[in-house]
Amino acid sequence: MRSLQAKITFVYLALAALLVGLSVVALFELDRIADKAREGSKVAELVDAALEMRRFEKNHLLYGQARDLEDHAGYAGRARELLDRDAALLDALAGSGTAMGLRDDLTRYIGAMAAHADAPTDEALSNQVRILGNRIVTVGEHLAGLERQSLNTALAAHQRNLLVWLAVVAVLLALTGALLARQVTRPLQAMETRMEAVASGQLTRLALDSPEREFVSLAEAFNHVLDELERRQHTLVRAEKLASLGTLLSGVAHELNNPLSNISSSAQILKEDLPSPAGGGAGGEGATPDPATLFHRQLIEDIDTETLRARRIVRALLDYAGDREFKPAPVRLAELVDETLRFLKSKRPQGVEVRLDIAPELTVLGDRPRLQQVLLNLIINAWDAIGDLGDIGGELSISARAGIVGKSDGFPALAGQCRPGSAVIDLSLADSGPGIPPERLPRVFDPFFTTKAVGHGSGLGLFISHEIIEEHGGCIGVANRPEGGAEFRIRLPAAPVETTPENKKDNP
Ligand code: ADP
């Protein structure tokens, strides 16, 4: 996967390399221009010497003074030195032979000047001096002009190059800016839009479609936060609903308890008043009761049975509403499961196997009777589900393992408050029944949700189990197994090592 950081680093390095390259070229060009300026000053030196030479030539021709002749000779010598020194430069400027021609003219000019000093009245000599002197200065000024022109050309070229480079850098900066904006701002804008949607209550996931690694990680983290938010929201709503439901149920259960007791006692008294089917009741010694009495007796027995069932539900509701004190203590899971299976021995359907895989030392911190109630609910549910399959038999596997809560360890939905990093014991009850249709999965823990026939299920078993597990600071979840059947998983806090029963025995 591509990384934005790598791209930015690449663009940064490419731009830095370009700027360093352009600076080196610019420095090189400036150096060339400085060379040209130095060459120009050399030519200017020669022209200056020639002009001074001519000034003293004119003075000497006018006034014939010996000092002017000396100064003239000094400048003429200086001009010759400069010609010797810069011959190559002059040839490069105006073509080969230029320095040589100038030198010849200068030699002839010095010779003519010396001859004129000996014969000051000779007009032809003074004319020759003037012509040669003029030619030397003209050539010198021409050379100076050429040098200035080449300097100007170099400066103009440098200026043009600088402008072109600036334009190239500007275009590259604009292109990389646009590219980075596309790569960075677009996903950020998409994220902003989604976050606004989240702020307005829609928990929409971010798509992981950006090719950049950073955005994919950000989107993953964001989606993880959303999942967690959704889960907490769900738990909160559920907790609020259940809190008010608990108050309501507790009130209703208390109110129903007494009338149900009264109905039950009245039914018992009525039943005793009727003659027994064997003819031994209050209705007459030895006489067989008539069909109407038998029918009444049957009705009263139905009333009694149904009242008892209603009282059991009321008891369960009172338990849920927190009537009993919650007393957590170390509980050995293997023992608890064994004991619960012994209680349920008579209810196990024919042909159903129970497989146990619980290490004897696994100990949770919990309220033993409540945990047993959870196990009873889950085991009976599993057997009911397997029983639905008819007589082909089935299997219930109960296993447990110790662990540490990870960040995302695939615990099925509807988890409770298990905090990452805490030591826990995971208990699994996996059956070979038909499983739970996916659309029903989120509802099985709801109060009064049941798919069992009227009179067989109250829909409170899983609801109360969920409450009990949450009360323990644990989690409960359910998922369908790939091989078929449902798997309930319970996560409970592990008992601290020093409080396990065995350790207590060792260190009283
Ligand atoms: P009840 O057992 O009274 O129906 P529960 O709350 O215990 O109430 O269960 C609710 C529903 O969850 C059941 O009616 C059933 O549809 C479903 N269920 C629970 N356990 C299982 C299981 N092991 N396999 C399939 N469905 C199950």
Side-chain angles (χ1 to χ4, degrees), residues 465-501:
S465 302
H466 181 265
E467 295 315 298
I468 291 175
I469 298 300
E470 285 231 311
E471 195 176 22
H472 281 76
C475 330
I476 181 165
V478 60
N480 283 316
R481 304 158 71 205
E483 60 270 44
E487 179 183 3
F488 280 84
R489 277 171 69 187
I490 297 173
R491 175 167 283 179
L492 286 165
V497 179
E498 66 274 16
T499 59
T500 58

Side-chain angles (χ1 to χ4, degrees), residues 381-382 385 431 435-436 444 449-452 457-463 486 488:
N381 275 347
D431 63 58
I436 302 173
V444 291
F449 174 82
T450 180
T451 56
K452 294 180 187 168
S458 64
L460 285 172
L462 288 181
F463 165 69
F488 280 84

Side-chain angles (χ1 to χ4, degrees), residues 378-420:
L378 295 185
I379 294 172
I380 291 176
N381 275 347
W383 284 349
D384 283 351
I386 299 170
D388 288 349
L389 294 178
D391 292 334
I392 53 171
E395 189 180 279
L396 167 66
S397 306
I398 308 180
S399 58
R401 65 178 173 86
I404 299 284
V405 184
K407 261 192 194 161
S408 55
D409 49 2
F411 202 79
L414 251 180
Q417 341 151 4
C418 297
R419 275 182 299 279

Side-chain angles (χ1 to χ4, degrees), residues 318-476:
L318 283 174
D319 279 352
Y320 158 67
D323 256 18
R324 254 190 307 125
E325 203 190 332
F326 177 69
K327 282 195 206 136
V331 178
R332 280 189 185 276
L333 263 187
E335 282 173 13
L336 185 69
V337 172
D338 270 348
E339 189 184 290
T340 314
L341 285 171
R342 252 182 284 124
F343 281 165
L344 293 174
K345 213 168 164 187
S346 57
K347 297 204 171 169
R348 185 191 317 181
Q350 282 279 311
V352 172
E353 284 270 320
V354 177
R355 278 183 199 280
L356 289 180
D357 180 13
I358 307 175
E361 72 280 359
L362 291 182
T363 310
V364 297
L365 194 62
D367 181 303
R368 195 181 170 93
R370 288 184 202 213
L371 289 183
Q372 191 155 55
Q373 191 182 348
V374 174
L375 283 174
L376 283 168
N377 289 337
L378 295 185
I379 294 172
I380 291 176
N381 275 347
W383 284 349
D384 283 351
I386 299 170
D388 288 349
L389 294 178
D391 292 334
I392 53 171
E395 189 180 279
L396 167 66
S397 306
I398 308 180
S399 58
R401 65 178 173 86
I404 299 284
V405 184
K407 261 192 194 161
S408 55
D409 49 2
F411 202 79
L414 251 180
Q417 341 151 4
C418 297
R419 275 182 299 279
S422 52
V424 288
I425 290 178
D426 283 345
L427 179 69
S428 149
L429 289 100
D431 63 58
S432 60
I436 302 173
E439 68 281 3
R440 280 192 202 150
L441 270 177
R443 297 181 53 208
V444 291
F445 291 97
D446 287 350
F448 305 113
F449 174 82
T450 180
T451 56
K452 294 180 187 168
V454 180
H456 285 90
S458 64
L460 285 172
L462 288 181
F463 165 69
I464 290 174
S465 302
H466 181 265
E467 295 315 298
I468 291 175
I469 298 300
E470 285 231 311
E471 195 176 22
H472 281 76
C475 330
I476 181 165

Side-chain angles (χ1 to χ4, degrees), residues 198 203-205 219-237 405-420 470 475 491:
V198 170
L203 298 183
T204 39
R205 303 277 171 292
E220 274 171 357
F222 182 76
N223 288 344
H224 180 69
V225 170
L226 276 189
D227 288 343
E228 194 58 18
L229 204 68
E230 201 169 37
R231 199 174 68 74
R232 297 228 170 151
Q233 203 179 39
H234 183 86
T235 314
L236 206 69
V237 170
V405 184
K407 261 192 194 161
S408 55
D409 49 2
F411 202 79
L414 251 180
Q417 341 151 4
C418 297
R419 275 182 299 279
E470 285 231 311
C475 330
R491 175 167 283 179

Side-chain angles (χ1 to χ4, degrees), residues 194-217:
R194 300 271 167 82
M195 282 183 185
E196 275 166 10
V198 170
S200 66
Q202 307 165 22
L203 298 183
T204 39
R205 303 277 171 292
L206 279 184
L208 303 177
D209 51 6
S210 171
E212 317 301 342
R213 185 165 40 80
E214 289 85 349
F215 285 114
V216 172
S217 315

